[in-house]
Amino acid sequence: MLRFRNTFTDGVGFDTVLVMLALGYLVVFSAYPLVYNIIMSFQEVDLFSLASFDRPFVGLDNYRDVLGRPEAWTIFLNTVKFVGISVAAQLTIGFGLAMFFQLDFPGNSWLRGLFLAGWIMPALVVGAVWSWILAGDFGVLNHALLSLGLTSERIFWLSDPDMALYSVIIANIWLGVPFNMILLSVGLAGIPEDIYEAAEMDGATRVQRFFTITLPMMRAQLGAVISLGTIFTLQQFDLFAALTQGGPSNASNVFQYWSWQLSFQYYEIGVGSVISVLMILFVILVAAIYVRSTRAEHVA
Amino acid sequence: MTRQIELSNVQKYYGAYHALRSISLDIDEGEFVALVGPSGCGKSTLLRTIAGLEGISSGDLHIAGERVNDRAPRERDLAMVFQSYALYPHMTVRRNLTYSLRLQRRSRAEQAKAVEEIARITGLEGLLDRYPRELSGGQRQRVAMGRAIIREPKAFLFDEPLSNLDAALRVHMRSEVRQLHNRLGATSVYVTHDQIEAMTMADKVVVMRTGVIEQVGAPLDLYDRPANRFVAGFIGSPAMNFVPGIVQDGGTVALDLPGRPVLRFNGHRPAGEPVTVGLRPEHLELGDGPLTLPVGFVERTGSTSYVLTATDPELMISTPARFPDGRAEVTLSIDPANVHLFSDDTGAALLH
């Protein structure tokens, strides 16, 4: 009995408990829903069969169904544009700001703190703010553009099919820039000043120093920011809910929002699961790249 | 000989802080100059000013006859070896060495030839494809030197390059750096806080304090004829003893020590002048003499015994003799030529 108690206070038993706690959490809240989701994507699920496991398996029917829908291709392209443009712009602007804040000037850290505002606010709130900015009739952006004479008529940012997706992208870029900036700032701060000085003595111009020192030494951070940015952008749901609801007529719809619409608005749960399974596969791929890039960091 | 680096009346301010005060210094082609002084004396700032990493507030800097005040570091054609080595961590040794050549877009064949030559000189053969993190401190040091040499610059700037090495390697690298300098016939400016490094390596030593050049001279000149009390105390190890004294008639000085011993010195000073007397520990000889002092503490290293007297101020005596245990008193003499006198007011040397 004593020995049994000892193992929990002071031995292998204690370690096992700790591991089981973490593992249990993962199994219940991550693995189980994941597997459940995958199973549902192969089943015919409706509101009545939602509660029981005993549902007819339909093989790849759900996959054929969803990928064969006419809007699937539009939404796929939208998703690619949304992720591609968001991540590229967030990275560029975030990197630029990170380099800017490396400079020593008064008010530096104070100003950098302000940039974190977007990161602190819930995305749904950010969406509400942007919906006011982008509103067609009374929006701030239209007012500014008209006053400056840059446009002659109002642009309906959120209801014009050519504009809606880009409006969400703009809001999402704003939301993601602080994260990029902070992560890249940390990376930049980790490059010793004397390496730049050595390069300067070796004859490198400012541009050459950027391409031969800064960029290669930031490889790990850039890899991390790109892959995490991709994952976060694929998770971006609130902005669509607040700004366009995927509309008009799917012009700004993306996979993550469509999946939710199918499952919880149209109750085509099996089909909705298919999309999340496809997205999971893609995210696993990105995560693998992320893990690789952080591993390279440990070696270096 | 031509002047390779010329500083005339260089001033450097950081805001209100006057970091370099009226620095004028000429460095000849092929000369090895050491800048030495306690930390915060401005020696590194001076080096970085020459490199162009720091600007000059006023004054002129000429390199090989051209005024370079407003030129960027890369336009000055100088190479620098940093204390931290500042190797490019994401490049192999080979790519570290060829970095400057690649920036100049030299041909691959030329690069390969240069790397081979440098690897031979610095003993880096076999390490060329390693990354800096895979090298020992001494090897990194060699890469940093190789990276400087490969460019054949107008001059080499060293910023305390050996201070991150362990003591034995430091002594070894000291001679290696100096031999390299001789072989290349290069002009070198070498910053160090270690006066032994400065004394052993340099043709010319520049002693600095609080942004001012205190004295410039050949190493043994600084040792034999320090211009002031600061240089006298800084050059030489263990440091010179300083004792207050009063000049007497006939070239003698009375020390403010028990028994008011009187020492002879070479030269003339007015009688009654209060002075500081400087006596090097290694110049105080055991045996018959005018000084008889109580013994306080003895340290023995085998080759040398260091005797500290129980006086105020205490005197350090360094002698190759084995100092016996239990001696309560020591009797000392000193050659009058080795007695230094310094002004109590300015600290300036009074005898030469």
Side-chain angles (χ1 to χ4, degrees):
Chain A
M1 189 61 207
L2 185 69
R3 194 156 166 196
F4 181 74
R5 197 186 304 149
N6 266 348
T7 184
F8 280 104
T9 50
D10 177 18
V12 183
F14 182 66
D15 302 347
T16 314
V17 168
L18 285 185
V19 171
M20 293 310 284
L21 279 174
L23 215 57
Y25 177 88
L26 282 176
V27 166
V28 174
F29 293 106
S30 290
Y32 172 68
L34 194 72
V35 172
Y36 195 97
N37 188 40
I38 293 173
I39 292 171
M40 280 204 300
S41 75
F42 294 107
Q43 289 180 326
E44 196 184 312
V45 191
D46 55 34
L47 270 184
F48 303 105
S49 60
L50 197 53
S52 78
F53 271 115
D54 187 23
R55 290 177 295 232
F57 275 90
V58 293
L60 290 171
D61 277 2
N62 287 335
Y63 287 80
R64 272 184 222 112
D65 175 9
V66 75
L67 296 177
R69 294 190 187 195
E71 66 268 37
W73 180 243
T74 314
I75 295 176
F76 172 74
L77 284 182
N78 281 348
T79 312
V80 171
K81 275 189 219 163
F82 180 68
V83 173
I85 298 174
S86 293
V87 170
Q90 284 170 357
L91 187 73
T92 314
I93 299 171
F95 206 172
L97 283 172
M99 304 243 311
F100 174 68
F101 283 115
Q102 280 297 109
L103 302 175
D104 196 23
F105 59 90
N108 179 326
S109 52
W110 185 80
L111 201 59
R112 190 188 338 212
L114 276 187
F115 269 91
L116 289 180
W119 200 17
I120 296 162
M121 275 194 278
L124 208 57
V125 175
V126 172
V129 171
W130 277 95
S131 75
W132 288 332
I133 294 174
L134 297 170
D137 32 19
F138 58 87
V140 179
L141 185 57
N142 272 343
H143 179 75
L145 291 176
L146 286 170
S147 317
L148 292 169
L150 291 174
T151 53
S152 52
E153 54 191 67
R154 295 177 197 286
I155 299 169
F156 285 84
W157 296 100
L158 300 174
S159 48
D160 182 336
D162 293 333
M163 281 297 180
L165 179 66
Y166 297 101
S167 302
V168 186
I169 289 176
I170 289 170
N172 188 48
I173 290 169
W174 184 84
L175 195 60
V177 159
F179 173 75
N180 281 256
M181 183 189 81
I182 291 295
L183 232 66
L184 295 173
S185 284
V186 173
L188 283 176
I191 304 177
E193 188 55 33
D194 54 11
I195 290 184
Y196 286 113
E197 288 178 349
E200 211 176 335
M201 296 299 296
D202 269 346
T205 62
R206 204 169 277 273
V207 176
Q208 284 172 326
R209 269 176 273 154
F210 178 77
F211 283 105
T212 58
I213 308 290
T214 311
L215 266 192
M217 289 196 68
M218 290 288 287
R219 241 182 66 185
Q221 279 83 9
L222 287 172
V225 166
I226 290 172
S227 38
L228 285 177
T230 306
I231 292 170
F232 289 161
T233 307
L234 279 175
Q235 286 178 351
Q236 186 48 263
F237 176 86
D238 311 34
L239 283 179
F240 289 94
L243 288 173
T244 64
Q245 290 88 44
S249 65
N250 288 327
S252 67
N253 210 355
V254 291
F255 271 170
Q256 63 266 37
Y257 196 76
W258 194 34
S259 163
W260 176 80
Q261 280 181 324
L262 290 171
S263 295
F264 301 109
Q265 286 194 312
Y266 311 136
Y267 300 111
E268 296 184 70
I269 294 166
V271 180
S273 310
V274 167
I275 295 175
S276 44
V277 169
L278 294 177
M279 289 184 67
I280 287 164
L281 290 179
F282 183 70
V283 166
I284 288 173
L285 183 77
V286 175
I289 297 171
Y290 168 65
V291 169
R292 266 190 66 110
S293 74
T294 48
R295 192 179 302 151
E297 190 177 16
H298 289 310
V299 174
Chain B
M1 250 192 263
T2 54
R3 295 256 185 279
Q4 189 72 348
I5 300 173
E6 267 182 282
L7 296 120
S8 37
N9 203 23
V10 167
Q11 313 275 356
K12 170 80 186 167
Y13 292 90
Y14 291 108
Y17 179 64
H18 201 167
L20 296 177
R21 299 164 190 244
S22 311
I23 300 286
S24 294
L25 180 65
D26 294 335
I27 297 168
D28 289 330
E29 197 177 340
E31 205 171 24
F32 195 115
V33 174
L35 307 179
V36 67
S39 56
C41 71
K43 55 191 191 295
S44 280
T45 305
L46 181 56
L47 191 78
R48 292 169 60 82
T49 303
I50 297 173
L53 295 170
E54 304 277 350
I56 300 176
S57 303
S58 71
D60 282 321
L61 170 60
H62 288 82
I63 294 173
E66 288 177 71
R67 186 171 179 277
V68 297
N69 284 33
D70 303 316
R71 294 217 194 143
R74 62 190 176 82
E75 297 164 327
R76 297 190 183 191
D77 192 21
L78 303 172
M80 187 152 165
V81 178
F82 291 80
Q83 179 175 1
S84 61
Y85 316 139
L87 301 181
Y88 310 124
H90 56 295
M91 298 182 198
T92 58
V93 170
R94 185 190 308 276
R95 290 180 67 78
N96 262 283
L97 292 175
T98 56
Y99 183 69
S100 59
L101 304 183
R102 283 183 285 130
L103 289 175
Q104 295 168 14
R105 302 195 185 286
R106 301 272 195 87
S107 72
R108 261 167 211 281
E110 212 174 333
Q111 288 178 27
K113 191 163 160 270
V115 166
E116 198 180 313
E117 162 93 12
I118 295 301
R120 197 175 45 74
I121 293 177
T122 54
L124 286 169
E125 299 118 318
L127 301 175
L128 289 173
D129 294 313
R130 295 222 197 152
Y131 284 92
R133 61 174 178 270
E134 299 165 334
L135 301 179
S136 70
Q139 290 166 338
R140 288 178 200 187
Q141 171 64 48
R142 283 165 212 262
V143 178
M145 304 241 299
R147 192 174 63 180
I149 300 166
I150 202 165
R151 278 173 44 206
E152 299 170 7
K154 290 205 182 82
F156 295 101
L157 309 176
F158 296 92
D159 190 4
E160 309 213 17
L162 304 185
S163 51
N164 284 351
L165 301 177
D166 64 60
L169 193 55
R170 189 153 62 220
V171 171
H172 173 72
M173 288 302 286
R174 207 153 78 189
S175 61
E176 218 167 273
V177 172
R178 178 65 220 212
Q179 280 166 22
L180 201 60
H181 168 90
N182 293 348
R183 186 144 33 133
L184 299 172
T187 309
S188 302
V189 185
Y190 188 103
V191 163
T192 174
H193 62 267
D194 180 353
Q195 53 100 12
I196 304 256
E197 258 177 42
M199 297 289 280
T200 52
M201 296 171 79
D203 300 317
K204 186 155 93 181
V205 177
V206 177
V207 183
M208 292 184 69
R209 180 172 61 155
T210 59
V212 178
I213 293 183
E214 294 279 347
Q215 191 173 1
V216 180
L220 294 184
D221 278 349
L222 297 190
Y223 180 86
D224 291 337
R225 285 180 292 280
N228 54 46
R229 188 182 155 165
F230 173 76
V231 175
F234 193 81
I235 300 291
S237 173
M240 186 184 271
N241 299 297
F242 295 106
V243 187
I246 304 225
V247 176
Q248 315 280 300
D249 284 331
T252 58
V253 59
L255 301 183
D256 186 10
L257 286 174
R260 300 198 66 73
V262 172
L263 296 180
R264 290 187 348 98
F265 59 83
N266 286 351
H268 293 282
R269 294 304 302 173
E273 186 185 28
V275 293
T276 302
V277 183
L279 309 167
R280 291 201 183 276
E282 57 275 26
H283 289 155
L284 291 165
E285 290 166 47
L286 300 183
D288 245 7
L291 288 168
T292 300
L293 300 169
V295 171
F297 188 69
V298 182
E299 289 175 330
R300 299 177 181 85
T301 64
S303 63
T304 313
S305 302
Y306 298 102
V307 183
L308 271 167
T309 62
T311 55
D312 180 33
E314 60 186 11
L315 292 189
M316 158 87 80
I317 300 128
S318 132
T319 169
R322 290 284 163 102
F323 194 82
D325 272 329
R327 285 233 326 239
E329 275 193 342
V330 61
T331 304
L332 303 163
S333 65
I334 186 165
D335 184 337
N338 289 331
V339 176
H340 300 265
L341 299 187
F342 301 99
S343 158
D344 267 0
D345 303 327
T346 63
L350 297 174
L351 296 178
H352 38 249

